[in-house]
Amino acid sequence: EPTAPHVVVLFGATGDLGRRKLLPGLAHLTLSDLTPDVQVVGTSLEEMDDEGFRQFARKALDEFSTKPVEGADWEEFAARLRYVPQSAGPDALASAVRDAEEQLGTDVRRLHYLSVPPKAARAVIKMLSEADLVEGSRVVMEKPFGTDLASAIELNDEIHQTFTEDQIFRIDHFLGKEAAQNILAFRFANGLFEPIWNRTFIDHVQIDIPETLGLDNRAEFYEQTGAFKDMVVTHLLQVLAFVAMEPPTALEPRAISEEKNKVFRSLQPIDPRHVVRGQYAGYRDEPGVSPDSDTETFIALKCEIDNWRWADVPFYLRTGKRMAEGQRIISIAFREAPKSMFPAGSGVGSQGPDHLTFDLADASKLSLSFYGKRPGPGMRLEKLSMQFATRETAEADDVLEAYQRLILDAMRGDHTLFTTSEGIESLWERSAPLLENPPMVKSYAPDSWGPNAIHQLIAPHAWRLPF
Ligand code: BG6
């Protein structure tokens, strides 16, 4: 379905996300035939002019674009970039947007992308209203959306004074990953697994997203946020909802968010006794980090969904910075066979239960591991695995990076892969016990799997990673 030409107004344009994902993503979309004409107006607290912004974008593309953008392509994208420092005020912003619109002809729509921390979001909304840039616009809000229940409610109230709900797109880029959508396809397009997708057959679930990445230049953001708000309350719990939700009546936004919200409502409040907060050794010496910082760079927790499908099935979540490996897996562990007829020492059970594993990496994979007979005399068993990789079945060009996919959806007005205020508010509500009473941070060695306490947390099970 074609979209109208768009002016994308990028707030926080010179931030880490702007460099890493948004500018490369916009370049790719602009140069592809997926979008009609696009013009970009960048704005942030930094003072620079159009030329400075183009140089900034050039560097960002060199460093982070998945495909090279050179020669005529680069000229074309660069010509579509302009910049207004936020200090220039609403009138200057409005006039830059008008200039951009004139390049695009009639029927132009605007997409305001708020790549700014929760505290700054309100000022931006106010500025958009003062600049009269509300009508005919949609607005994408970055996570975290608020920092607790009260601030999320306040932020929602504030936005609703300016924008209507159908103009608002609360982004969670994990939902734009091919593999996350593959969970829906896998669960609801096949008859094979749905009958066993419940407490009778599933023993526990792990959502494990270790990162090797450190802070980069994000100390200021990260100090206020920490691993729980940066990753869990958004990405991990959103993915959990795809795993745990009931089949929606249709694959459309309202039906999907109704089912996700039911999962969030049945989530047990997060119990601080089942949470391990960690901080990598050396974090407090990083530039921009307070020497007595209590911010967690690692978190592991157990949560439970109190409904008919999932009662007594623990969901273990883990994520952190500077860990041993970068992985993004969701692992479903099945119950063991009710009775083992295999002799002791045959190997059954020695390598853990059967698993179905979704790998959320950019080249997404799905694997099923189970016991089979090892060739040779006697009855010795070992784990075998079946693998399915989407890259093998898709044209590489069809794979859109998560942000590109979601920007495109927002331009088309499609809310299916965005989160709702109700969902976000119930997640903050479930998180309150942890936010009010966080356990002490425990130190862990960089390049490790986290503090030792992670093993106790998951016992009698074991973390599936490292493979
Ligand atoms: C972002 C977090 O939302 O997600 C980052 O703010 C994190 O801290 C990133 O590194 C991970 O995303 P991805 O797509 O690289 O797994």
Side-chain angles (χ1 to χ4, degrees):
E1 165 210 347
T3 60
H6 268 81
V7 176
V8 177
V9 187
L10 196 54
F11 290 87
T14 58
D16 188 64
L17 185 65
R19 257 172 5 115
R20 222 175 252 282
K21 299 286 185 186
L22 301 178
L23 287 167
L26 285 168
H28 180 74
L29 283 179
T30 304
L31 298 169
S32 74
D33 50 13
L34 291 167
T35 49
D37 255 358
V38 173
Q39 293 272 330
V40 179
V41 179
T43 170
S44 80
L45 299 178
E46 266 173 67
E47 301 294 328
M48 58 169 87
D49 57 11
D50 291 352
E51 203 35 52
F53 186 51
R54 288 182 188 132
Q55 278 166 23
F56 178 87
R58 178 67 267 173
K59 273 212 214 118
L61 292 180
D62 287 341
E63 216 175 327
F64 297 111
S65 178
T66 43
K67 288 182 207 154
V69 180
E70 304 293 349
D73 279 351
W74 161 247
E75 294 302 326
E76 180 176 347
F77 181 59
R80 291 160 189 275
L81 298 175
R82 64 191 80 215
Y83 187 83
V84 204
Q86 221 148 298
S87 60
D91 293 342
L93 181 68
S95 100
V97 171
R98 263 195 311 273
D99 289 348
E101 283 172 349
E102 273 164 24
Q103 305 289 313
L104 295 173
T106 50
D107 261 349
V108 179
R109 303 207 61 143
R110 293 181 215 110
L111 188 71
H112 303 302
Y113 197 117
L114 272 57
S115 175
V116 299
K119 270 202 220 148
R122 287 149 135 204
V124 172
I125 301 279
K126 193 162 157 252
M127 182 162 178
L128 286 172
S129 139
E130 285 166 4
D132 200 13
L133 293 174
V134 173
E135 239 183 83
S137 301
R138 295 188 175 112
V139 50
V140 179
M141 309 279 301
E142 257 303 330
K143 49 108 266 202
F145 191 89
T147 50
D148 57 14
L149 178 59
S151 60
I153 292 177
E154 225 174 296
L155 186 55
N156 273 322
D157 286 350
E158 194 115 351
I159 302 173
H160 285 145
Q161 289 174 19
T162 307
F163 290 96
T164 57
E165 186 60 26
D166 62 330
Q167 288 177 289
I168 306 169
F169 293 76
R170 296 174 190 77
I171 198 166
D172 186 302
H173 80 277
F174 267 55
L175 300 182
K177 289 181 187 282
E178 289 283 346
Q181 294 153 58
N182 215 7
I183 300 172
L184 298 181
F186 180 85
R187 284 192 58 197
F188 303 129
N190 301 302
L192 180 60
F193 285 100
E194 193 54 26
I196 57 170
W197 210 256
N198 56 52
R199 63 193 303 272
T200 314
F201 299 95
I202 293 178
D203 183 71
H204 72 275
V205 176
Q206 298 183 21
I207 301 180
D208 205 355
I209 322 246
E211 295 184 281
T212 50
L213 216 71
L215 277 193
D216 286 331
N217 304 315
R218 301 167 76 212
E220 197 191 333
F221 165 81
Y222 205 79
E223 272 283 272
Q224 297 169 29
T225 314
F228 182 72
K229 293 178 186 170
D230 185 38
M231 294 292 288
V232 177
V233 86
T234 50
H235 306 322
L236 276 69
L237 289 172
Q238 289 293 335
V239 168
L240 175 143
F242 272 9
V243 173
M245 72 197 229
E246 296 301 312
T249 49
L251 267 195
E252 47 99 343
R254 215 177 115 204
I256 291 185
S257 42
E258 264 170 15
E259 295 308 333
K260 284 172 62 189
N261 291 346
K262 279 198 239 161
V263 173
F264 298 147
R265 282 199 295 274
S266 23
L267 198 66
Q268 291 284 293
I270 293 174
D271 183 340
R273 287 170 305 178
H274 297 146
V275 176
V276 177
R277 287 173 74 237
Q279 189 185 72
Y280 65 79
Y283 174 74
R284 293 178 185 179
D285 306 327
E286 303 267 16
V289 172
S290 139
D292 56 359
S293 170
D294 182 50
T295 301
E296 80 281 353
T297 61
F298 169 100
I299 187 149
L301 57 119
K302 171 172 133 178
C303 40
E304 282 175 290
I305 302 170
D306 204 12
N307 65 17
W308 278 48
R309 192 186 282 268
W310 296 114
D312 301 323
V313 178
F315 284 69
Y316 299 102
L317 275 43
R318 170 169 72 171
T319 185
K321 301 286 185 201
R322 294 289 316 267
M323 292 178 62
E325 283 176 28
Q327 295 269 3
R328 308 180 188 96
I329 66 152
I330 302 167
S331 197
I332 316 289
F334 293 98
R335 287 196 192 283
E336 284 175 22
K339 174 176 160 42
S340 177
M341 60 194 70
F342 295 93
S346 66
V348 128
S350 62
Q351 289 165 286
D354 299 344
H355 282 100
L356 178 71
T357 304
F358 294 88
D359 187 336
L360 301 191
D362 293 331
S364 72
K365 277 191 254 135
L366 185 67
S367 63
L368 181 64
S369 68
F370 49 86
Y371 288 93
K373 183 183 172 304
R374 186 193 286 179
M379 183 53 98
R380 305 258 323 137
L381 302 172
E382 66 182 355
K383 271 279 180 83
L384 308 170
S385 105
M386 292 200 297
Q387 284 219 4
F388 162 78
T390 47
R391 278 285 159 117
E392 285 165 18
T393 61
E395 293 291 329
D397 278 356
D398 288 347
V399 179
L400 279 183
E401 204 274 328
Y403 280 97
Q404 293 168 16
R405 156 75 197 243
L406 294 175
I407 290 173
L408 194 60
D409 283 0
M411 285 180 174
R412 291 176 171 162
D414 182 348
H415 278 90
T416 311
L417 296 173
F418 291 83
T419 61
T420 62
S421 54
E422 188 193 336
I424 290 173
E425 286 173 15
S426 50
L427 286 178
W428 283 124
E429 196 187 341
R430 299 301 178 267
S431 310
L434 173 63
L435 296 178
E436 281 157 17
N437 234 331
M440 297 269 285
V441 287
K442 294 190 161 73
S443 178
Y444 63 98
D447 309 323
S448 73
W449 290 94
N452 288 333
I454 54 168
H455 302 296
Q456 251 156 283
L457 177 79
I458 203 169
H461 313 293
W463 292 99
R464 181 127 159 77
L465 286 176
F467 287 136

